[in-house]
């Protein structure tokens, strides 16, 4: 039962007596539905004090409102807005317009939307218990460390060292509002000395937005189907900072093997440059064991001061978590904290505390292991369905990993036309051109990206069948 806050209640000074002015003010709130039905009105003594009028004036106004059916009196409990109002003063119903089928907000979590994990599989009740436990901690109610909660940084340090061979201390970890903020902080921290960046092509559009926003120039380095980043092309570029997704390149779905990773580290050392490692989808490899992180490899050859490691738990847990992290060399910790302080200040503390417990208790690794099996099964179902319904019309070019599949074709519809016809059927897929930040060499083939994370296993084949029908028409 909600309690009404009457702090914005004002009495008209249009010559009416105070009782009538109070009656009119309250009736207007009720008729306009600004005070919800069944809500409890302020006690007469409290309202009289707040408005600077006598208690009797409030009592008489309440009694008049009761007599006319706007509020009800319950003995010993107080006064409440009536559930049924007098018909004479019922407001006209304003029905908000229904969203159109093309409303972009409807497509965020539709079938095959890229970047959305299986939200139904997340242990929401365990998570809620952890959040509830920390909401009662008064210590967390005040201002907190800009760098992030220490217990979360310790938990992340242990988790990443065992799962990704990351070598760092908790003091090198900075908690951010998702990977996007980490990319922004990184760009500002190294942008003063490294003005020219290299980007994967096609690549992550959000990083392109960051570089463009801060006026940094960048070169695009080709990512070839099945072969990955063109390291020779990178060596010939003039860039001294590289943004890369080495574990499961987005959107091409390639990976860098151990020799390629070592080549990149040598490139960074030779140029006294930077590698911004976005370890996207590293947890979900289905055909081989994950390669160690670039950051961990760099530490083995005394080059860990050339790598900034960025991660997020959005794809592992759920998108709405909005917590990420960055691991930086010791000499960059303070500059990055200063930038974060200027941008947003500290991060939501109760969520950080709950996440620290979620990791330290082993719940995160258990969830990752479970989801690795779930996503592998979904990937295989996608592969079978595409082979069955598209036959030899398309070719899957992404590796068995992550939460998406990329396929291409040489004969058939334009990728943008295919995407639009799918959206008309409530299916969200992305054209490869969405991820091309500069005009590439003219492609002789078309391609789309399908995210299978948030699609139920039994829905995969029927939806692929629909896509195959749209493709052929």
């Amino acid at each position: 039962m909600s309690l009404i806050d009457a702090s914005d209640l004002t009495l008209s000074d249009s010559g009416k007596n105070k009782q009538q002015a109070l009656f009119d003010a309250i009736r207007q709130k009720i008729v306009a539905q600004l005070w919800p039905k069944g809500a409890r009105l302020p006690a007469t003594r409290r309202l009289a004090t707040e408005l600077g009028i006598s208690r009797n004036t409030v009592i008489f106004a309440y009694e008049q409102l009761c007599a006319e059916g706007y509020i009800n009196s319950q003995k010993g409990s107080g006064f409440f807005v009536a559930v049924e109002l007098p018909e004479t003063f019922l407001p006209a119903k304003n029905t908000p317009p229904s969203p159109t089928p093309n409303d972009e907000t409807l497509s965020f979590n539709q079938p095959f939307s890229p970047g959305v994990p299986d939200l139904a599989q997340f242990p929401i009740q365990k998570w809620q218990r952890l959040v509830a436990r920390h909401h009662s901690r008064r210590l967390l109610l005040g201002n907190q460390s800009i760098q992030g909660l220490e217990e979360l940084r310790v938990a992340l340090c242990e988790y990443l060292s065992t799962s990704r061979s990351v070598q760092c201390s908790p003091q090198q970890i900075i908690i951010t509002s998702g990977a996007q903020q980490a990319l922004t902080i990184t760009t500002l921290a190294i942008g003063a000395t490294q003005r020219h960046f290299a980007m994967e092509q096609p690549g992550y559009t959000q990083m392109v937005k960051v570089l463009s926003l801060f006026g940094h120039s960048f070169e695009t380095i080709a990512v070839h189907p099945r072969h990955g980043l063109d390291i020779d092309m990178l060596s010939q570029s003039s860039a001294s900072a590289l943004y890369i997704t080495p574990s499961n390149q987005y959107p091409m779905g390639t990976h860098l093997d151990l020799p390629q990773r070592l080549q990149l580290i040598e490139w960074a050392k030779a140029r006294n440059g930077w590698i911004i490692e976005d370890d996207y989808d590293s947890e979900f490899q289905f055909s081989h064991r994950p390669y160690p992180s670039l950051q961990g490899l760099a530490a083995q050859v005394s080059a860990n001061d050339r790598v900034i490691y960025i991660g997020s738990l959005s794809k592992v847990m759920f998108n709405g978590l909005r917590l990420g992290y960055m691991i930086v060399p010791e000499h960059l910790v303070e500059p990055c904290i200063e930038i974060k302080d200027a941008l947003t200040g500290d991060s939501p503390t109760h969520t950080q505390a709950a996440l620290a417990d979620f990791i330290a208790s082993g719940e995160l690794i258990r969830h990752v292991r479970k989801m690795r099996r779930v996503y592998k099964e979904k990937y295989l179902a996608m592969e079978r369905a595409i082979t069955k319904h598209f036959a030899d019309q398309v070719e899957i070019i992404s590796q068995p990993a992550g939460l998406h599949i990329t396929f291409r074709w040489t004969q058939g519809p334009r990728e943008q036309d295919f995407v639009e016809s799918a959206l008309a059927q409530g299916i969200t897929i992305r054209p490869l051109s969405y991820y091309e930040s500069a005009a590439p060499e003219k492609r002789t083939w078309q391609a789309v990206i399908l995210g299978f994370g948030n699609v139920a296993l039994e829905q995969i084949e029927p939806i692929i069948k629909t896509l195959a029908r749209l493709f052929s028409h």
Side-chain angles (χ1 to χ4, degrees):
M1 185 178 297
S2 60
L3 180 63
I4 291 171
D5 178 7
S7 58
D8 66 341
L9 193 67
T10 56
L11 305 187
S12 170
D13 55 0
S14 59
K16 300 177 183 177
N17 61 52
K18 291 181 179 179
Q19 178 184 326
Q20 187 62 43
L22 178 59
F23 172 87
D24 289 343
I26 294 176
R27 181 177 64 173
Q28 184 177 2
K29 291 282 190 182
I30 294 173
V31 170
Q33 298 183 356
L34 298 175
W35 287 5
K37 295 178 180 179
R40 182 179 177 182
L41 274 68
T44 55
R45 192 183 306 277
R46 177 179 301 171
L47 186 59
T49 301
E50 289 180 0
L51 296 176
I53 58 179
S54 72
R55 187 186 178 198
N56 281 340
T57 298
V58 178
I59 292 173
F60 294 148
Y62 276 13
E63 288 177 349
Q64 185 181 355
L65 288 162
C66 280
E68 297 193 19
Y70 292 101
I71 66 175
N72 297 318
S73 173
Q74 296 181 17
K75 189 173 181 180
S77 299
F79 294 88
F80 301 83
V81 177
V83 175
E84 294 185 7
L85 301 180
E87 292 186 4
T88 307
F89 293 101
L90 282 178
K93 292 184 178 179
N94 295 319
T95 305
S98 300
T100 62
N102 292 325
D103 190 342
E104 186 182 12
T105 59
L106 298 178
S107 67
F108 289 160
N109 300 307
Q110 283 184 164
F112 292 162
S113 296
V116 185
D118 192 331
L119 303 175
Q121 295 286 345
F122 184 71
I124 189 67
Q125 292 183 339
K126 291 179 180 178
W127 175 252
Q128 287 176 331
R129 284 197 293 270
L130 292 176
V131 172
R133 175 194 301 172
H134 292 290
H135 269 164
S136 61
R137 291 177 60 190
R138 293 185 182 275
L139 183 64
L140 300 181
L141 295 177
N143 293 324
Q144 304 295 329
S145 166
I146 304 296
Q147 186 170 359
L149 208 63
E150 184 178 10
E151 45 261 57
L152 176 56
R153 291 186 282 114
V154 169
L156 277 170
C157 186
E158 294 176 356
Y159 168 72
L160 293 170
S161 68
T162 58
S163 65
R164 300 297 301 126
S165 300
V166 168
Q167 296 188 31
C168 72
S169 69
Q171 285 69 41
Q172 292 175 257
I173 300 177
I174 300 169
I175 305 302
T176 61
S177 298
Q180 185 71 12
Q181 187 184 55
L183 293 174
T184 301
I185 294 171
T186 298
T187 302
L188 290 171
I190 68 175
T193 57
Q194 312 291 338
R195 299 291 300 176
H196 195 54
F197 289 71
M199 276 285 304
E200 300 165 313
Q201 170 80 340
Y204 187 44
T205 56
Q206 297 301 101
M207 183 58 179
V208 173
K209 293 176 184 177
V210 172
L211 293 175
S212 300
L213 179 64
F214 295 113
H216 292 296
S217 61
F218 62 91
E219 293 180 57
T220 57
I221 309 300
V223 177
H224 301 296
R226 302 189 182 281
H227 298 290
L229 187 76
D230 190 330
I231 297 180
D232 289 338
M233 187 176 178
L234 174 66
S235 299
Q236 295 168 16
S237 76
S238 59
S240 53
L242 168 69
Y243 169 81
I244 190 166
T245 52
S247 295
N248 188 31
Q249 200 277 337
Y250 191 72
M252 295 293 281
T254 59
H255 68 270
L256 296 182
D257 59 23
L258 197 57
Q260 290 172 314
R261 290 169 186 250
L262 290 172
Q263 277 184 275
L264 287 185
I265 293 169
E266 288 303 316
W267 170 86
K269 288 173 64 178
R271 300 203 178 189
N272 197 31
W274 292 97
I275 296 173
I276 305 168
E277 178 183 12
D278 187 341
D279 210 16
Y280 179 81
D281 271 353
S282 61
E283 297 88 355
F284 304 123
Q285 293 284 341
F286 311 137
S287 61
H288 60 79
R289 292 186 61 80
Y291 291 103
S293 66
L294 274 165
Q295 193 272 357
L297 280 176
Q300 295 177 27
V301 295
S302 302
N304 53 328
D305 61 340
R306 298 293 94 204
V307 180
I308 296 173
Y309 182 92
I310 289 174
S312 167
L313 295 170
S314 295
K315 307 299 183 294
V316 176
M317 296 173 61
F318 56 94
N319 304 85
L321 181 65
R322 301 312 305 153
L323 280 180
Y325 50 89
M326 55 192 299
I327 299 173
V328 302
E330 292 179 359
H331 71 277
L332 272 186
V333 171
E334 284 305 317
C336 287
I337 292 175
E338 289 176 6
I339 292 168
K340 186 191 174 193
D341 187 20
L343 290 175
T344 60
D346 56 5
S347 303
T349 311
H350 296 90
T351 309
Q352 290 186 67
L355 181 56
D357 282 356
F358 193 75
I359 297 172
S361 65
E363 289 297 340
L364 177 62
I365 192 63
R366 280 190 286 272
H367 184 61
V368 168
R369 289 170 178 167
K370 170 188 171 183
M371 297 315 297
R372 192 178 292 135
R373 295 190 298 270
V374 169
Y375 293 140
K376 181 177 181 179
E377 189 175 4
K378 288 187 178 185
Y379 174 86
L380 294 173
M382 291 282 290
E383 191 178 46
R384 287 192 301 267
I386 290 170
T387 301
K388 176 180 178 181
H389 295 289
F390 282 87
D392 57 356
Q393 296 181 95
V394 303
E395 174 194 12
I396 296 174
I397 58 174
S398 52
Q399 65 171 329
L403 309 183
H404 77 276
I405 273 183
T406 302
F407 67 67
R408 67 177 177 178
W409 64 93
T410 55
Q411 294 183 337
R414 290 175 58 253
E415 59 188 50
Q416 188 60 48
D417 293 339
F418 185 34
V419 167
E420 290 173 3
S421 62
L423 186 59
Q425 298 295 318
I427 305 169
T428 298
I429 57 179
R430 289 262 177 84
L432 186 63
S433 56
Y434 177 84
Y435 303 95
E436 292 172 329
S437 56
E441 295 182 10
K442 187 169 178 61
R443 279 195 277 122
T444 59
W445 43 274
Q446 307 283 307
V448 292
I449 295 86
L450 287 69
F452 57 79
N454 200 32
V455 182
L457 185 63
E458 63 274 11
Q459 288 183 319
I460 287 176
E461 183 171 354
I463 299 176
I464 291 293
K465 184 177 180 180
T466 298
L467 287 176
R469 175 177 56 80
L470 296 172
F471 184 89
S472 300
H473 285 78

